[in-house]
Amino acid sequence: ARAARRGVSVRIVLDWWGAKPMDSSLAESLLSAGTGIRYFHPLQWYNWRRINHRNHRKILVVDQRLAFTGGVGIAQEWCGDARTPDEWHDFHYRIEGPAVADFHDSFRLMWLAIGDGGDIDPMRAIATPITRQTGATESVQLLTSSPHRGSEVVYETFRLALRRARHSVRLVTAYFVPDRAALVEIISATRRGVSIQIMVPGKHNDRASVRHAARACWGELLDAGVEIHVYEPTMLHAKVMLIDQNWVIIGSANFDNRSFALNDEVLLNVVGEDFSVRQTELFMEDLEKCQQISLAHWERRGFIARCKERLANLIRGQL
C-alpha cells in the first residue's frame, strides 16, 4: 500500500481459494491505496467445474530488474526462520538477468487472462546477467504449466531429470505423492546406480491426507534403495530437485498430482556448478535435522496407519 501511494504501479494476482483466509478489510485497504487486485478462478455458479484448478505460482517482479520465486507465500507461517513448529522451513530465490523478462511476461499473461483491461507493458530491456564473485553465470530456463496450456510441463521436467541423472538426485518436496509412472522412473534410476535421496515433512504437516498417501509408496522405494528422510523441526514447504551437481530445479511445484495436472505452476531450471554446490550444502544442513526411514521401520507401522494410507489412496489423484 505504501508503494502504491508513492506512485509505484502495484498489481496483485491472488488465488481465490488460497486467499480465502485473508481478511477482506486488508484487500480493501490495498484497493483504496491504488493497487490492482485480481482473483484467480473465484467461485461462480457458471464455473464451478474449475474450482479444482488453482494458481499455485509464486512470482514477484520488481521494477523489471528483480524476480523472486520458490515456495514462500505471504502469511504468518513464513514470518520466521523455522525456529519453532509455527515457523515453516522453505526456499525462495532472487533472480537477476534476462530471466526476469520471462517472469514479467508470465505474470502479465496471467493478469490479462483473468481480467479485462489494465494491460501491463511488455518488458523491453534485458538487464545485465548476474555474475557471482567467482565470475560464473548460471544458465536458467523458466517453465510454466497450466491444465489449459502445457499441463504436462512440470511432470515431464521431473521425469526427464530422473532419466538424465547419472550419479545423484536429491529431491526436497512438501508433498510427495508420485503416480505409478513417476515411481517407475525413480526406481529405474536407482537400478542403474543413481543415488536418490528424498526429503519430506514429518509430523509437522499441514495436509495429513497427503502424508498418508505418500507413505503408502515408501515400501517400494525403500526396497529399491531410495533414501527417505523426514524433516523433524517444523513443516517443510521447500521445493527443489538437484541432479548430478550441475542442474537444479526450483519453483512452486511439488512432486504430486496437483502440481503435475491441477495447478498453475512455475519452474526454473538452473544449470551451473556454483548454484548447485550451494544448494547441496543447504540440503546437507537440512539432512542433519531429519530422521532417515528404513524399510524395517516402515514395515512396523501400525494398523491404523495402514488404514489411513488406504483411505488417502482413494483420493490420490486430487492430492
Side-chain angles (χ1 to χ4, degrees):
R2 291 193 187 104
R5 291 192 185 100
R6 68 172 184 264
V8 176
S9 173
V10 181
R11 293 178 173 88
I12 304 171
V13 172
L14 298 175
D15 180 73
W16 175 80
W17 182 262
K20 280 181 67 64
M22 180 179 174
D23 192 314
S24 60
S25 64
L26 296 179
E28 292 169 2
S29 66
L30 288 169
L31 290 170
S32 65
T35 68
I37 298 178
R38 291 181 179 177
Y39 288 91
F40 186 88
H41 286 182
L43 181 62
Q44 305 287 350
W45 67 267
Y46 54 84
N47 69 357
W48 64 270
R49 292 178 181 273
R50 66 183 189 183
I51 186 64
N52 209 26
H53 173 196
R54 307 308 334 158
N55 176 21
H56 194 244
R57 298 177 186 177
K58 276 77 172 171
I59 295 175
L60 172 62
V61 182
V62 182
D63 289 340
Q64 298 190 3
R65 295 191 58 83
L66 293 175
F68 295 83
T69 193
V72 172
I74 300 176
Q76 195 63 33
E77 295 92 325
W78 289 279
C79 289
D81 193 21
R83 295 164 297 189
T84 70
D86 294 329
E87 299 175 354
W88 288 8
H89 181 49
D90 215 331
F91 293 144
H92 215 65
Y93 305 88
R94 186 183 74 179
I95 298 97
E96 300 180 34
V100 176
D102 295 328
F103 279 96
H104 175 86
D105 289 343
S106 176
F107 181 92
R108 176 174 177 265
L109 290 174
M110 177 166 286
W111 178 263
L112 295 175
I114 63 176
D116 298 324
D119 194 2
I120 300 173
D121 290 337
M123 186 167 171
R124 303 182 186 280
I126 297 180
T128 303
I130 182 170
T131 302
R132 297 180 181 277
Q133 292 180 354
T134 60
T137 300
E138 280 72 24
S139 298
V140 300
Q141 175 193 35
L142 182 69
L143 302 173
T144 58
S145 70
S146 170
H148 300 315
R149 300 175 304 280
S151 62
E152 75 287 349
V153 168
V154 169
Y155 188 55
E156 291 303 327
T157 299
F158 283 133
R159 291 183 65 185
L160 176 64
L162 289 164
R163 290 179 199 149
R164 293 294 300 273
R166 293 295 175 264
H167 305 290
S168 65
V169 172
R170 295 181 173 100
L171 172 65
V172 182
T173 182
Y175 312 116
F176 179 70
V177 192
D179 63 6
R180 172 48 51 182
L183 277 175
V184 169
E185 294 289 358
I186 294 171
I187 293 170
S188 296
T190 61
R191 287 176 177 168
R192 65 174 186 268
V194 178
S195 169
I196 297 185
Q197 297 172 296
I198 300 174
M199 188 181 299
V200 295
K203 62 182 179 180
H204 301 292
N205 197 311
D206 69 325
R207 291 170 60 185
S209 59
V210 174
R211 184 186 182 201
H212 298 313
R215 289 176 65 91
C217 70
W218 285 8
E220 191 173 359
L221 294 170
L222 292 167
D223 188 56
V226 175
E227 291 184 18
I228 296 177
H229 300 268
V230 173
Y231 189 79
E232 295 288 349
T234 184
M235 170 65 185
L236 175 71
H237 195 255
K239 305 102 169 47
V240 60
M241 185 182 231
L242 301 95
I243 305 97
D244 289 346
Q245 293 293 320
N246 59 6
W247 176 13
V248 185
I249 303 172
I250 59 177
S252 64
N254 294 295
F255 206 92
D256 63 1
N257 193 59
R258 292 213 65 85
S259 290
F260 293 160
L262 301 177
N263 289 340
D264 276 32
E265 301 283 4
V266 59
L267 284 182
L268 194 67
N269 283 320
V270 183
V271 179
E273 187 174 345
D274 285 358
F275 183 75
S276 182
V277 168
R278 177 57 183 142
Q279 193 67 65
T280 300
E281 292 172 352
L282 294 172
F283 181 90
M284 300 309 293
E285 290 175 11
D286 286 341
L287 204 62
E288 297 178 359
K289 304 171 185 175
C290 293
Q291 175 192 8
Q292 183 172 351
I293 304 298
S294 67
L295 181 59
H297 180 275
W298 179 81
E299 290 177 338
R300 287 197 302 269
R301 69 199 191 287
F303 173 76
I304 294 178
R306 294 170 188 261
C307 289
K308 289 179 178 179
E309 291 169 8
R310 289 181 177 273
L311 289 172
N313 259 333
L314 297 176
I315 56 171
R316 192 179 189 89
Q318 302 300 313
L319 300 176

